[in-house]
Amino acid sequence: MYIERYEKNPIITPEDVKPLHKDHEVIGAFNAGVAKIGNETILLLRVAERPITSDGIVKAPVINIENNKLELKSFSTDNPKYDFSDPRMIKSIDKMEGFTYLTSLSYIRIARSNDGENFTIDDKAFIYPENEYQIYGVEDARCTQIGDEYYINFTSVSPRGVLVTLVVTKDFKSYESKGNIFAPENKDVLIFPEKINDMYYALHRPSLKSIGNYDIWIASSPDLISWGNHHYLMGISDDSWDNGRIGGGLVPIKTDKGWLEIYHGATKENRYCMGAVLLDLNDPTKIIGKSIKPIMEPDADYEKKGFFGDVVFGCGGVVEGDVLTMYYGVADTSMAVCKMKISDILHQIEIEG
């Protein structure tokens, strides 16, 4: 399948973003939700900032909600009590002590463009941690337009777990919080852009700690806040490009063939690709068909190398006729953009018998 990657990719890198916090560096500007308001394209960037440290010390940024200030906890890499094997976190070896900290703090910052390719980045955060469920940060926004309102859901992270929060805006200048809509452990929520049989629908991805896999589920709601009627939708493969985990990518796209969902899948070795699944227009709990092979794989150098390499992570798009302009995170570091035809994607989908 032909994919037209923008020749000036990546379009936003950490070097393009000035850190909000003193003595911090931006290590990621990626996984942005996407919206179109008038002629302006909005990217809801996940910006990850890491404390600048000296050799032998790793610091964990944590928001103190009581005074709304950022605090730093320091750990020596020589201390055998701590596990630093994953650069994204610090874990205690002692299960009785039992803590996990992140080595960076994420928040949502807006990038704006009049041509969809050249972006300017707001000086301030748009969504910043503000309660006990977000003291480790907020991550990976997705945005669904319904009427003249934009519903933005994102992952909130704290010692209480990983959950999903919803806010709504009309102008991307301020927002109203609707609270937490999916309890831990959950992420990758995608809200459908219209009601189906008088109900709202959303894809979500429970992250099970006991029995089960990282699979995609679907739920419905009368009001976008109270979600129930949960159904298992689709799972990982036995031994293929998505045998590690799967999760929603872009907000579902309505076509005359069905709801087209472009989702991410990863191997057990954490190589992230994009696939496609087609859902019934009148009952999105039913799968019509899906792609067997990835429709997009990490191929360009900027997709293979970065903070967490071999990652293409589609998280938003703009549809104009048959053309999908997809904005996607690369290597957990930067943002890129590509164009593909929806008709080409549909041809990659094998209809289930």
Side-chain angles (χ1 to χ4, degrees):
M1 193 183 86
Y2 177 69
I3 299 173
E4 181 185 348
R5 288 170 167 86
Y6 182 44
E7 61 182 5
K8 295 181 180 179
N9 274 343
I11 55 173
I12 298 175
T13 69
E15 290 74 21
D16 298 322
V17 185
K18 184 179 179 180
L20 290 182
H21 307 99
K22 183 180 179 181
D23 298 325
H24 280 62
E25 59 182 343
V26 174
I27 61 170
F30 60 114
N31 291 5
V34 180
K36 196 74 180 287
I37 179 167
N39 294 321
E40 188 175 52
T41 300
I42 298 285
L43 296 186
L44 294 153
L45 285 174
R46 172 184 172 184
V47 175
E49 293 191 16
R50 179 173 62 189
I52 297 172
T53 60
S54 56
D55 290 342
I57 298 294
V58 177
K59 294 183 179 180
V62 180
I63 298 292
N64 185 329
I65 295 302
E66 292 182 3
N67 57 23
N68 199 32
K69 290 184 178 180
L70 182 67
E71 297 179 349
L72 302 179
K73 299 182 181 294
S74 297
F75 301 87
S76 171
T77 57
D78 293 330
N79 194 326
K81 292 173 59 179
Y82 309 125
D83 177 6
F84 301 96
S85 60
D86 187 331
R88 298 171 296 181
M89 58 187 66
I90 305 160
K91 291 185 176 182
S92 62
I93 300 295
D94 186 350
K95 292 184 179 180
M96 295 297 293
E97 193 176 9
F99 67 74
T100 300
Y101 288 108
L102 302 185
T103 55
S104 64
L105 181 85
S106 292
Y107 57 88
I108 309 302
R109 200 156 160 178
I110 290 179
R112 304 173 187 271
S113 175
N114 290 321
D115 62 9
E117 296 174 351
N118 300 285
F119 287 84
T120 58
I121 300 164
D122 287 2
D123 292 331
K124 298 180 180 180
F126 180 58
I127 301 173
Y128 191 82
E130 60 184 11
N131 60 48
E132 63 181 308
Y133 304 106
Q134 301 172 357
I135 64 173
Y136 287 178
V138 294
E139 306 173 354
D140 296 354
R142 313 292 170 88
C143 185
T144 300
Q145 182 180 0
I146 301 176
D148 63 349
E149 295 184 313
Y150 297 83
Y151 290 85
I152 304 165
N153 59 267
F154 53 88
T155 303
S156 295
V157 187
S158 77
R160 301 187 187 280
V162 177
L163 53 82
V164 181
T165 305
L166 180 68
V167 303
V168 60
T169 184
K170 287 187 176 182
D171 56 10
F172 292 96
K173 296 177 182 178
S174 63
Y175 62 81
E176 176 188 357
S177 177
K178 298 295 185 180
N180 301 325
I181 58 171
F182 285 89
E185 292 279 321
N186 213 316
K187 59 182 359 183
D188 297 333
V189 167
L190 296 168
I191 298 173
F192 284 67
E194 63 182 58
K195 280 186 172 183
I196 304 169
N197 295 322
D198 207 35
M199 295 290 285
Y200 297 102
Y201 280 83
L203 305 177
H204 62 104
R205 207 284 302 285
S207 301
L208 305 178
K209 292 184 176 180
S210 54
I211 298 173
N213 299 310
Y214 294 101
D215 299 330
I216 296 176
W217 287 60
I218 189 168
S220 59
S221 169
D223 58 7
L224 294 167
I225 298 173
S226 302
W227 293 90
N229 196 26
H230 299 272
H231 291 276
Y232 173 90
L233 184 66
M234 57 185 287
I236 62 172
S237 64
D238 291 331
D239 188 20
S240 189
W241 64 277
D242 56 354
N243 64 0
R245 64 183 62 213
I246 58 174
L250 278 64
V251 171
I253 300 166
K254 191 176 186 179
T255 75
D256 57 358
K257 304 292 185 183
W259 290 103
L260 174 63
E261 167 56 21
I262 298 174
Y263 68 98
H264 68 263
T267 63
K268 294 176 181 177
E269 296 74 33
N270 293 316
R271 181 178 186 265
Y272 279 76
C273 302
M274 303 303 297
V277 61
L278 195 63
L279 308 176
D280 188 273
L281 282 176
N282 296 312
D283 183 0
T285 67
K286 294 181 179 179
I287 294 177
I288 297 174
K290 66 177 182 176
S291 59
I292 304 302
K293 298 179 179 179
I295 64 169
M296 186 177 189
E297 303 182 54
D299 182 51
D301 189 62
Y302 53 82
E303 298 165 350
K304 292 182 176 182
K305 298 177 181 179
F307 184 74
F308 204 76
D310 268 344
V311 173
V312 291
F313 194 89
C315 38
V318 176
V319 176
E320 294 178 314
D322 190 40
V323 177
L324 168 65
T325 301
M326 185 177 79
Y327 295 88
Y328 63 105
V330 292
D332 267 12
T333 305
S334 303
M335 283 299 299
V337 62
C338 67
K339 292 182 184 293
M340 57 186 84
K341 290 185 177 180
I342 292 175
S343 56
D344 287 347
I345 300 171
L346 292 173
H347 284 146
Q348 299 297 311
I349 292 175
E350 294 192 12
I351 304 301
E352 296 192 350

